[in-house]
Amino acid sequence: MKIGVFTSGGDSPGMNAAIRAVVRTANHYNIECYGIRYGYQGMIDNDIVKLESNDVSYTIDKGGTFLFSARCMEFKTDEGRKKAFENLQAHGITALVAIGGDGTFRGARIFSDEYNIPVIGIPGTIDNDIAGTDVTLGYDTASNTAMEAIDKIRDTSTSHNRLFLVEVMGRDAGDIALRCGIATGALGILIPEMEGDLELLYESLERARLRKKKSNIVVVAEGEESGGALLVSKKISEKFPEYEVRVTVLGHIQRGGSPTVFDRELASRMGVLAVEALRSGQKNQMAALVDNKMQLVPLERAVTEKPEINLEKIRMAMVLSS
Ligand code: F6P
């Protein structure tokens, strides 16, 4: 067996640690390992390099992905996938570890079905929106980055008696917003999964106004139903002219930076499991953390299901902000 490893889609902190774990585990079992650069694009362009243990030294603490990443349209075509398979064959690569989100896994599943090449996925996305695993790689680092930024915004918000809307990432997923909202004591949290949360926010704002609360933070996921923090701020300013509102969009700062201890450990555990799974003949599975135990779950689940938002956390956030 020869293993190819790649990262694809939006990068997330911990991807380098996962690549390292894959390479080192493969080496441990005397399996050759190849890094495919720029994800599926590199497979098509034959941008493939052999990786030895030394090549992954000093990478565990680095953000981003040293194999680079891309969102590749050509891989969606039959010709693109054929080229990719021929390049893998030329290197003798017979199995893949795919690190990325649901888009990455969708491509992997089609490719694996067409060319009978076993794939193990490692869920790497800051959004924490992959079904079958309690947590995705990079989510912890991204939410810590957002939390630190919001704490700083809290200081200036208090000094000036202002209402801040802080937009965090999450086009379709509100997990970063929910977690950071709870962790920073936000007055409100707006997420794409919940309809009508703006009305609830208005109620909280009215309560805060009556009790003369000095500093207010609302954490807004970029994909929430009004269309993001700027649009929400306009609505709030019209309804509550007495609030002095400011907006901060945190953006891609959440995607970078050195991974937390949690993400480094998670990446290491997932990387080891991925290689050991391939070695034992598994295919089309995802390395997942379930109830704090590593396990394999079918890749199919990760691409066909969406994780449910934690209603208990939403309830808790409302209790704490009242
Ligand atoms: O999927 C991760 C993510 O960071 C989302 O939260 C965000 O909406 C999107 O990627 C941004 O993508 P891009 O970097 O391509 O603009």
Side-chain angles (χ1 to χ4, degrees):
M1 181 196 291
K2 289 188 189 179
I3 293 177
V5 57
F6 64 96
T7 48
S8 166
D11 61 350
S12 67
M15 281 184 163
N16 283 326
I19 300 165
R20 171 185 178 272
V22 169
V23 173
R24 292 267 165 99
T25 310
N27 252 264
H28 175 78
Y29 292 113
N30 291 318
I31 299 170
E32 277 184 37
C33 193
Y34 289 82
I36 302 160
R37 298 203 285 208
Y38 295 101
Y40 293 117
Q41 194 61 53
M43 236 182 257
I44 293 170
D45 297 340
N46 201 17
D47 195 351
I48 299 174
V49 289
K50 185 141 187 257
L51 292 176
E52 308 284 359
S53 275
N54 281 352
D55 297 319
V56 290
S57 299
Y58 320 117
T59 56
I60 197 166
D61 59 330
K62 304 287 185 300
T65 159
F66 79 88
L67 286 178
F68 309 108
S69 191
R71 301 189 200 269
C72 175
M73 298 315 285
E74 206 182 339
F75 196 75
K76 294 191 173 161
T77 67
D78 292 346
E79 302 78 58
R81 291 194 297 277
K82 185 166 176 285
K83 255 197 250 175
F85 181 66
E86 286 165 359
N87 288 329
L88 294 183
Q89 262 193 324
H91 285 90
I93 296 170
T94 53
L96 292 171
V97 177
I99 308 171
D102 54 353
T104 304
F105 294 164
R106 246 185 295 281
R109 200 182 49 141
I110 294 169
F111 191 55
S112 172
D113 286 349
E114 277 177 350
Y115 293 100
N116 194 26
I117 182 161
V119 182
I120 302 291
I122 293 181
T125 166
I126 64 165
D127 288 349
N128 202 31
D129 61 347
I130 306 282
T133 183
D134 291 348
V135 68
T136 60
L137 196 52
Y139 167 62
D140 188 63
T141 307
S143 29
N144 271 293
T145 302
M147 182 191 73
E148 281 168 25
I150 298 168
D151 284 347
K152 289 177 179 152
I153 289 168
R154 170 73 74 185
D155 293 343
T156 175
S157 160
T158 313
S159 308
H160 287 271
N161 215 345
R162 282 173 174 161
L163 164 64
F164 266 86
L165 301 180
V166 186
E167 185 177 296
V168 297
M169 273 188 160
R171 204 167 17 208
D172 309 304
D175 257 21
I176 295 178
L178 188 53
R179 191 180 195 197
C180 290
I182 292 169
T184 58
L187 179 79
I189 302 168
L190 301 179
I191 56 176
E193 294 91 338
M194 211 178 141
E195 282 171 20
D197 45 5
L198 194 56
E199 289 305 318
L200 293 174
L201 175 63
Y202 290 157
E203 287 172 21
S204 300
L205 284 168
E206 180 56 12
R207 275 198 303 272
R209 191 182 68 82
L210 292 176
R211 72 176 161 106
K212 296 189 171 43
K213 192 167 181 291
K214 271 185 159 301
S215 145
N216 291 299
I217 303 275
V218 177
V219 182
V220 184
E222 63 175 318
E224 70 72 50
E225 64 181 342
S226 313
L230 260 179
L231 294 173
V232 175
S233 80
K234 290 200 179 106
K235 289 185 182 176
I236 291 177
S237 297
E238 274 164 25
K239 211 170 162 60
F240 296 93
E242 58 276 47
Y243 273 114
E244 198 185 345
V245 187
R246 293 289 186 274
V247 174
T248 303
V249 177
L250 296 183
H252 285 78
I253 188 172
Q254 295 156 96
R255 285 249 293 265
S258 181
T260 56
V261 62
F262 180 88
D263 276 329
R264 294 182 201 191
E265 186 193 36
L266 182 66
S268 305
R269 294 173 83 184
M270 287 181 163
V272 172
L273 178 60
V275 173
E276 292 186 340
L278 287 172
R279 208 171 154 258
S280 63
Q282 295 281 351
K283 60 186 291 191
N284 300 355
Q285 302 286 320
M286 176 179 76
L289 187 73
V290 182
D291 295 335
N292 207 27
K293 288 196 185 68
M294 294 307 303
Q295 68 178 57
L296 294 172
V297 302
L299 214 45
E300 178 71 17
R301 194 168 161 209
V303 297
T304 53
E305 290 177 29
K306 274 279 153 211
E308 280 174 19
I309 196 79
N310 189 326
L311 293 174
E312 176 50 24
K313 277 193 193 172
I314 293 176
R315 192 192 67 80
M316 200 184 86
M318 281 175 179
V319 169
L320 294 176
S321 70
S322 60

